[in-house]
Structure formats: structure tokens, C-alpha cells
Amino acid sequence: MAQTGKPALTAKQKARQSTIRLAKQSWELYLFLLIPVAFIIIFHYVPMIGVQIAFRKYRIVDGIWGSKWVGFAQFQKFFKSPQFKTIVPNTIILSLYGLFASFPIPIILALALNVLRNKRFKMTIQMISYMPHFISTVVLVGMLIAILNPRIGMYGIIYQSFHDGKAPKDLMGQAGLFRHLYVWSGVWQNMGWSSIIYLAALSAVDTELHEAAQIDGASRYKRVIHIDFPTILPTAIILLIMNAGRIMSIGFEKAYLMQNNLNKSTSEIISTYVYYVGMTSGTGDFSYATAIDLFNAVINLIMLVVVNAISKKVTDTSLW
Amino acid sequence: MKKSLSVILALCLALMMAVPALADGYTLQDPNVTAPGEIPVVKEKITLSIGITQDSNTLSYEYGENYMTTYLEDLTGIHLEWVLYPATGSDANSKLRLQVSGGEELPDILEGFDLDTDSVREAYGQAGALIPLNDYIGTLDYYHSQALAKVPEVIEGQDMWKLGRSLDGNYYGMLRLYRTLPNFYSARAWINRDFVAALGMEMPEEAPTQEWFVEFLRGVRDNDVNGNGDPNDEVPLVGGTGWQQNVLYWILKQYTYMNYADSFLQIEDGKLSNAYTKEGFKEGLKFARSLYEEGLIPDYAFTQDNASYVAMIAAETPFVGIGVSGSCSAFGANMPIMDPIPVVQGPDGYAVCGYFSQNPNFEQCITKDCEHPEAAFRMFDAENYEKDFILVQRWGEPGVDWVLAEEGSRGMYDEMGLPGYFTVLQSVWGVPQKSHWAGKFLGGVDYDNLNSRFTWDGNEANNEYKNALAVAKQVNYKPDEYIVKIIYSVEEQEDWANTRAAIATYVKQSMAEFATGVRDIDAEWDSFQEAIKGMGSEELLAMDQAAYERTMAD
């Protein structure tokens, strides 16, 4: 065993040595790495020291290092809390719905834009569709609330003019509608922006492929399906895997802003719950909030690994 | 002999001048600070940094630009250096928390944040971020103690200083008593008096009965009371999610005591209980549901934000019968026709309005990093040097924003024994200004209720006038017994804060769901009680009771 292992090791060492030699040769290029690496260490690794407070009962007086160890008590508190049963499914459903609704639409938009012949028209559409991306969440939700107001909003006024002045039901107050409003306003806001990466991938399509297909008599539609789509598929899958790794860390702001007492049964997600319970009360329960976030991070990691493994099996595209 | 006597005398004199010994033995540590009662409070000018949450309407806090800053600096000889924290309260609190837990350097003086929460102040005190003011109280508070002695009543028989004492026995904040009469009764609702007249009804002098109330709502629903030709556009009863706009809290007051605070605590003979366990709470929600199902409350009354609500009630053609709102100015141009309807009598004649005991605050604090703590404390004391300074903090610059009124002027709260003291020339509240600090860093003791003693010119389109009317209608429905204050320990706060928040969130959600029939209250009342118990409501109540008894004990 040891003998068979040894040559392999030396091969690895050789590879490593050559990497180092290469690095020495063009050290100026490697110097560029310094900044991002430093950034990641300072802002992503160093703060991880603080994760330990998830296993402590953190008190301001005692600080991070001095607070009492409590093991998994914070996690147990979360799992045992009566809302656990609703907020975890709420989070996962909202996130998956958002993922699957917002994933295909930018691809379709990019494919459609790509076949447009009128360049000016194409640029205009692209511009208009990605502009909402720059609206901040607060403003977007404010617009949504103002437009949907049953009495004084655009929706309400139009409805009233058809129904003898009677105001419609309040859409924001219906628990069943919350997810649709959340997801589709997000799709509207981000489809243009998300399509940019696919458009970039599409520009890499070899024109010879198209010419060959045209000679073979392929229609425009067939070319989109058989040439354009396969080209951007790896990009799409990588993005899907990465999005799957964010399933539990769905944004706090938007759900919080759209929330009210009538839609809470679907709109209360982990992050808003943590905010109410951990951050708005007293001096803030940092340990509890950290524990819940750590729980989220673990689920995210698992999702990422699973989706990556599936993708590797099915499509041969994977992150590693 | 004579010579040695004069030497001894001179020596004594010199000693006295060097270290002014105070009444009960406290000796000033800082030679630069003048004796208590002297103005300015320092001999050589010093600079103190002051941390407050920024107010977007205050255009400048700087000396020479902001009247209040200039006044205080000229008076005390202390130059203020401003450290502005994020305008949003929770962001500012988080920032301060992180600074304290990180042991970072803090501004010399802090004011506001959540420092009025006893457990927060105590936690910061124990962490060493704030210094105890025990030694200064009763020694350096020359003007302050004089003002405090003039406060006519003690609050519910309590020593006011005691209400700011942390459980470790220390006082980490300076006492301030700053009261505005309408804020005792800020749970208000407003009824459109034109609609009452259009329906041929008569506005009752006292709290209307529930029959009258429902009859009015139905009348608004069925008739074209605003006379625009459309009988469907009127909304009988509406509220929002902004300040004191919760329509359910307001309706429930016909059945059980609601004080609009998230704790839902009630008190009877010194025993605390939670409103959400009461039969009246259930009955009230059933009544609210019947109103909802009759179309007397729209569904958006439970969800709409302040902006939408204000746009609705201030509409050019008024269409709202009763609007629940802490402030009448939200009605905009419709304000003159809105009359206060603070409380409605329930079927059993129960009618008690929400009452907010305005206790002293203790949110002026000195931090560990302050090199001149005595001077800082003397600056707090100087806030009582002139009694009109109370007015500067809220109403702005004397002579420009307000002037003293002539003796015997009609005051807004004349009937309550508060004759007019000053006349407002221009409002500098909630508008861009450089007159004061917009309610941040209020100090002093308003022993004469100056803040409520503005004159009234007889114009009804005045928010303060409307508030005065509302107060007059509410005083008769003040609860007999109310919770003055509960001081929690740091541990109690840490262990129970998120239980309390979780319960309050769940109860508020359930209230809206029961009232709109998303959940049926009869079928689910027991499971609702079980759920709340499961969250720890009974243990929480036991803790509240113990803390309350401890606070009230001597």
C-alpha cells in the first residue's frame, strides 16, 4: 500500500512544484489575488470566530469569549418554538417557488432578445427590462402597496369603476396571495438583469454553427432550441446550483416590508421571525439569532452539495 | 496671635476656594468645574462629545446655527461635539450595542437610544459603559432638585428617582420629567360630525353606547352621507398599522382593558393578567368580526400602512365615518369636521380608555470615556436653570417660534386648570428647522406643565385643539388602577424578551385572523390559549408579577 501510494504522492508534489515555479515566473499576476484573498479572510473568515456565540449564552457584559457555554440550547429553543412548524415550510416554499419561477424566465427572455434583428428595438427592450433591478426593495414594496390599495390605489380605482364604486378585497391582506405577489414582483424586477449573463453566454455561440444549420434547412426556432439553448445550459446550471445554495437565506427586507397581520401565516419566514424575536426585543438575543442563522447556513450547504451531485450525474456540469 | 489667626483664616479660605466642599461631604474632583448653582458650570471652556440619533429635520446641530445648542453652550461653557447615529431607532440601538460589546470608545454623553429601558441601561452600566450618577445626585443637582421639589404630585405615590434605579442600586441616567397632557391619552379615534348630522343623529356628550355606534356605522355604509351621489364610497370604520391606528385594540376597549402596548398586561388589585386570556377579549373579537362581516370595517383596515391610511382619511371628499388614529392632523383638510370619540360603551356599559402613565425618563447618561463627568452632570443640571428651557426643546426659539402670553390668556387646556403661558408663532415640530434637537436630548423637569400651556386662538382646525377635546372626553374613562412601571433585571429581560415578542407577534396576527374570520374564534379559542401557553405566557406572567411587586416595594 505504502509503495503504491508513494509514486502518486510524488506526482502530486511534482505538480505542486511546477505550480509554484509557474507562480514565481509570473508573480505579478498572482499579486492580483492578494486583494480578494485578503478581503475574503478579513470579511468572511475572521467573523466566523463569532459563530461560537451560537453555542453560548451571549451577554454584552461578558463579551464573545467570556459568555457561558450552553451547547445546543439555542438550537433546541428554535426547534421547540411553536412557530418552527410554520416558518420553516414558509421559508422553503417561498424560496423554491421563487427559484423555479425566476429561473426559466431570464433564459427565455435572453433567447428571445438574441434572435431579434432590430438592434435598436433589442437595446430598448433590454434597457427597460433591466431598469427595475435598480429600484430598492423598500421603494418596490412601497409601489406594490400603493398600486394594490383597494381604495386609493390604481388597482382599487380600476376595480371600483367596474363594480359600482365597491372596493375590492385587499390583496395584501390575503395569506394565499402573498407568495405570488412576492415571487412575481421579484420576477418583474429581476428578469432583465438576470438575462444579461445569458446574453453574454449567447454572444459566444459560434456563427459557423448557425450557418451550417441554416444550410441544413433548420428553422429559426430549431436553431434556438438546438444551438443557442445548449450553449447557455452550463451557465444556467451553474447559476441554478448556486441559487440552490441560498435557499434558506431568502432576503429579509422584502418579506418584512410586505408583511401584515393578515398574511403572516404565509409571510412569516425564518429571517423575519429572527428579527422580531431576536433583534427588536430588549438588548437583542444575538446568540439565538446566530444559532438560527447557523442552522440556515448548514441547510444551504447541504442543498448546494446535493444539487451539485445531482447535476454532476445528470448533466455533467458541476461546481467541482 | 492676630497674625497667626489671619494666616489660619487665609489658609482656610484658600482651601475652601480650592476644593469646594459640598453639603453632604461630596468634593468636586475636577478643579475646572464651578460650585453647584454657578453658571457657567466650567471655568475654562471644555468640549464634550454627545451621541444622539440623527433627526432628518434638524438641519444643523452646530453652535451658532442651532438655537438650542447655542443657548446651552453659552450657558454652560461646554462645547458640544456631535456624534450622530442612524436616524432609525433600531439601527442606532444596534450600533450602540455593538460599540458597547466591542468595548469601543463612546461619546462622552449619550441620550435617547433605548437607554430609557431600565434593563438596557443596567446592562450597559454593568458592562462598564455608563458611569453611576449616585454621587452627583443630591449634591451637584442644584437646579434640578429645586425643580423636582416643585412637582405637585408624586406619581402614584412613588418616589420618582426610584423609578430610574437599576436593580444593582445605581442610577445610570439623569431624571427628566417631561409631560404632554394629550400623550396620557393618545389612544384616540375621530368621528366625522357631518356624517352624524347627515344621518339625523345626535353626538352624545359622554361615551356613546354600542347601539348608537353600530347604528352610525350602518348609516354610513348604507347612505350617501358625503353627498357625492355615490352611496357605496363611504367607509364606516377604518384604521391602519401606524401610530395608535389599530382598529381592533380600539374596539376591544368596549370589553376589556387594552393599553395599546405589546405586553397586553392588565392589573386588578395589584395582580397582573394578560388581556388575551380574558373572556372580554374573545367577546370583543367576536363583535369585531360581526362588524367586519356586515361590511362595517374593510379588510384593509388591518393591513394598510400609514401612507395609504393618511391618503384615505385626508381625501378631498371625506368618506370615512370613524378613523382610529393617535393624531388628528392625519386627517389633513378634513380635520375640522372630525370630533374625538375616544371610547364606546360596551354591551355591559364597560368603557375604559387606554392610559399611559408618563413617568420620568432616565435616558441622559454619561459614559466611561467621559473625562469630565462632573461637568457633564452639571450641564444636565443647567437644563433647569431657566424654566422656559422646557419650551425651547419642543417649541423652539423664544421670540421667534413662540412668545410668552399675557397673563390670563386662554389656554388650550384651560378647563383642566392649565391657563395659557405661551403662544406658538410658528410650528417647528416635524418640519426642517434649526431651533432645537427635535425631541432628542430632552432634559429638565416640567413641574408647571408648561408644555401643555399654549394659548388657543379659537381656530378649530388645530391638531392641539382636537387633542385637547379628546383629553377632555377621556379623563372620565381613565382606568382606576394602572401599571406605573415594571423594572426588569438584565437577566429577566434577556430570558424573556423574545418570549414576549413571540407572543405579541402571534396574538396580533391571531386578532386580525379572528376578526376577519380566517380562523373561527369559537372553534379555535381553546387551541389559541394552548398555543400561547405553549409559548410560555404563564411563566412570563409570573415573572412580570414578581418584577412588578419588586418595583413597587421600597
Side-chain angles (χ1 to χ4, degrees), chain B residues 218-240:
Chain B
R218 288 188 186 137
V220 173
R221 180 192 59 190
D222 299 333
N223 299 292
D224 179 24
V225 281
N226 62 2
N228 68 344
D230 179 0
N232 286 330
D233 69 329
E234 286 83 0
V235 177
L237 173 61
V238 74

Side-chain angles (χ1 to χ4, degrees), chain B residues 452-469:
Chain B
S452 306
R453 287 177 53 187
F454 37 87
T455 58
W456 181 50
D457 57 3
N459 178 7
E460 291 197 4
N462 179 328
N463 186 42
E464 302 293 348
Y465 168 71
K466 292 289 177 181
N467 281 342
L469 279 184

